[in-house]
Amino acid sequence: MKQESDEPERAVALATEYCAENTQNCTDGKINMEYQWSGPAVVQTRIAEILNEGWSVAFNVTFDELPQDDHIQQTALGQYNVNTWRQFGGDDPWTDNIWLLCRTIGGISLNWPRFCDEGRDALLLQAQAEQDPAKRAELYKQVSQLIHDAYTYVFFTHTIWANSFVENVHGACERTSPEGVDLECTSNGRSWFSSVWMEP
């Protein structure tokens, strides 16, 4: 699988075709769209400017920088054209099913793109139940290809978000359930700070 790069000539041709049939959504032969992100954030603003450099050949882009709570609400309600989002950071892929499954589409949606693919759902649930790591990986490769082919999400980067501690910090990975089962250690920005303690 290879993610495509910009194709300005093709974008212009498609925008021209679209605008001929949807004049109410276009100005000067370009598609009007809003790009939304959470801020204020210098990095996010620079990302918006870089994206706009590529998009501007076929789109008239209006920027909408929102506080994170408003950005989340508008995304959940589907009140956006295009946005950037930090997502898919689960240690185990099945924990990210909520962002993809058809059943999480509704008035308030956690499947942000609101794109339902029953075949993708079947693969996700099959992978979740699969115990063989090699078979599981193959199923997730198929899911990734479907996401790619439908442009459901376009991935920019993968950030490893973890916590590290010096030797005198304790309790970050020392949690158990009431039944005595070891619980997951800190990961993906999630920490058990209620049980962390330091020795002098």
Side-chain angles (χ1 to χ4, degrees):
M1 175 176 59
K2 179 181 178 184
Q3 186 166 298
E4 293 86 352
S5 58
D6 287 351
E7 296 181 42
E9 298 82 8
R10 187 170 177 221
V12 169
L14 290 171
T16 300
E17 182 182 330
Y18 175 85
C19 289
E21 298 177 8
N22 301 276
T23 55
Q24 72 281 5
N25 298 332
C26 299
T27 304
D28 299 327
K30 296 181 180 181
I31 301 169
N32 301 323
M33 73 170 227
E34 178 190 272
Y35 170 65
Q36 185 187 112
W37 73 92
S38 173
V42 173
V43 171
Q44 292 294 338
T45 302
R46 297 292 86 81
I47 290 170
E49 292 168 350
I50 290 169
L51 290 173
N52 188 42
E53 282 186 31
W55 290 339
S56 64
V57 298
F59 295 89
N60 300 306
V61 182
T62 302
F63 286 172
D64 188 17
E65 180 181 63
L66 296 173
Q68 187 171 22
D69 56 344
D70 289 339
H71 179 52
I72 292 169
Q73 179 177 322
Q74 289 197 21
T75 301
L77 294 171
Q79 298 173 335
Y80 68 93
N81 295 136
V82 175
N83 70 17
T84 48
W85 200 264
R86 183 186 69 212
Q87 201 166 326
F88 297 104
D91 292 328
D92 192 317
W94 79 266
T95 60
D96 287 322
N97 282 1
I98 194 168
W99 312 118
L100 294 165
L101 292 172
C102 295
R103 66 180 180 226
T104 63
I105 300 172
I108 296 175
S109 182
L110 294 177
N111 177 328
W112 304 132
R114 297 168 180 259
F115 181 72
C116 178
D117 180 339
E118 298 287 353
R120 183 186 63 207
D121 277 16
L123 288 169
L124 286 168
L125 297 176
Q126 185 181 348
Q128 182 177 340
E130 179 58 61
Q131 297 299 308
D132 183 312
K135 291 179 181 176
R136 200 165 189 245
E138 190 54 44
L139 290 166
Y140 280 120
K141 285 180 186 177
Q142 293 177 52
V143 169
S144 295
Q145 188 67 53
L146 289 172
I147 292 169
H148 169 271
D149 293 347
Y151 295 93
T152 312
Y153 291 92
V154 177
F155 297 96
F156 294 154
T157 184
H158 178 74
T159 302
I160 303 216
W161 187 13
N163 300 300
S164 58
F165 304 95
V166 293
E167 291 179 359
N168 66 333
V169 175
H170 303 275
C173 297
E174 299 164 10
R175 293 178 61 94
T176 57
S177 72
E179 298 80 20
V181 177
D182 288 338
L183 297 177
E184 187 176 17
C185 189
T186 61
S187 65
N188 194 28
R190 177 180 57 250
S191 300
W192 308 115
F193 289 123
S194 60
S195 66
V196 171
W197 57 278
M198 294 176 65
E199 62 180 339

